[in-house]
Amino acid sequence: MQLPAGTKIAGWKTVNDWNNHKTLLADFANTTAWTTAYTEYFLTRLQDRYLGPLNTIKDNGTYRGEGFSIMAIICSLVEFLESTYQGINYRYKTKADPPLGQFEYGGSADIFISFLTRRSPFDKNFNQTTAENFYKYVRCGLLHEARTKGNWTIWGATSTDILIENKTTEVIVYRDNFLKATNTFIEEYKTDLLNSNDRKEAFIRKYDNLCSE
C-alpha cells in the first residue's frame, strides 16, 4: 500500500514527485533523469537524514563518547546503502507469514558482510571473518547494548586511511576514516548507477518500497 502522495521521502521530494520522476527513469539511457534521481532522491535523503547529522556530531565533538553515536548512525546507513545497491527491502517475518520474496530480506548480517567485503573502499580493509566480527561486536553491540563488545574499540582518526587495525589487545575502528570511506562509496555509487542497468533496476525497487507502507 502506497504512502500518502505528499509524504516527503528526500528533502522536499514527495511520493508523488517520485512517481512522476519514475516515468522518466524507464528510459535507462536518460542520463539527465538518472543524475537527478541520484542527486535529488538519493543524495538529498542521505544528506538530510544521515550525513548532515553525522558531520554535526563530528565537528562539535569533544572526544567524550560521540564516536559511539557516529558509528551507530553509520551502521544504520550501511544497511540502507547495501540494500539500495542490491534493490532489496527488509520485511519483518514471523513463522506464520509467507516466505520472503526474491527482493526481500529478514536479517542484517548478510547485508553488512556483503557491504564490507564487496564494496570499495571497504573491501580493502575487511575479509569474511573481520566483517562478521564487526557486525557482531560493533554493529550489534552499539545498536543493542550501546557499547562495543569483544575487544573492539572506537578511536577518532589515524594518519593513514585504514578503517580497522589489529593491536595486541584490541581491534580499533577509526570512526573518522569510516565516515570518509562511506562518503567515498556514496560518490562512486553514482558512477555505478549511471552505468549499470542492474543498479538502475535495484534503485527503482528500493524507492518504490520507500514510498510504501
Side-chain angles (χ1 to χ4, degrees):
M1 183 176 179
Q2 194 164 75
L3 293 169
T7 304
K8 295 180 178 65
I9 61 169
W12 294 101
K13 294 296 184 182
T14 65
V15 169
N16 188 57
D17 291 327
W18 166 251
N19 288 334
N20 290 332
H21 190 71
K22 189 174 70 169
T23 62
L24 302 176
L25 301 181
D27 178 4
F28 283 4
N30 189 339
T31 302
T32 299
W34 277 101
T35 299
T36 297
Y38 171 85
T39 302
E40 297 186 4
Y41 289 88
F42 180 73
L43 197 58
T44 296
R45 183 180 177 89
L46 296 186
Q47 184 61 44
D48 288 354
R49 304 186 182 204
Y50 292 102
L51 301 179
L54 278 169
N55 287 323
T56 297
I57 295 170
K58 176 177 175 293
D59 293 344
N60 294 279
T62 58
Y63 292 94
R64 297 182 62 186
E66 62 270 11
F68 283 83
S69 297
I70 289 171
M71 286 307 304
I73 295 172
I74 290 175
C75 285
S76 175
L77 178 55
V78 163
E79 183 166 344
F80 177 75
L81 293 176
E82 180 64 17
S83 62
T84 300
Y85 191 93
Q86 295 187 33
I88 56 178
N89 300 294
Y90 176 81
R91 175 161 70 86
Y92 179 79
K93 179 183 176 303
T94 68
K95 291 182 178 180
D97 291 332
L100 294 172
Q102 180 183 1
F103 299 114
E104 294 180 323
Y105 70 97
S108 300
D110 289 343
I111 301 296
F112 263 80
I113 293 167
S114 175
F115 185 82
L116 295 176
T117 60
R118 300 173 64 187
R119 312 299 169 215
S120 175
F122 296 91
D123 56 350
K124 300 177 182 65
N125 292 263
F126 286 91
N127 57 35
Q128 183 75 18
T129 299
T130 53
E132 289 175 355
N133 287 338
F134 179 91
Y135 177 79
K136 179 166 56 174
Y137 295 128
V138 179
R139 185 271 183 190
C140 290
L142 288 175
L143 298 189
H144 296 306
E145 298 182 19
R147 62 166 178 157
T148 56
K149 302 184 74 173
N151 61 339
W152 288 66
T153 60
I154 299 172
W155 287 21
T158 181
S159 59
T160 69
D161 288 331
I162 61 172
L163 306 184
I164 59 172
E165 184 176 10
N166 282 286
K167 296 282 192 176
T168 303
T169 59
E170 62 186 350
V171 182
I172 301 169
V173 177
Y174 293 105
R175 46 96 164 174
D176 289 350
N177 290 1
F178 222 94
L179 179 55
K180 180 181 177 182
T182 302
N183 282 315
T184 297
F185 169 83
I186 291 168
E187 292 170 3
E188 293 177 350
Y189 171 69
K190 179 180 180 180
T191 300
D192 290 340
L193 181 64
L194 295 181
N195 291 282
S196 168
N197 288 351
D198 286 344
R199 298 288 71 76
K200 290 181 172 72
E201 291 172 354
F203 189 94
I204 290 171
R205 287 196 300 270
K206 189 65 178 179
Y207 272 75
D208 277 348
N209 182 264
L210 291 177
C211 293
S212 302
E213 293 283 4

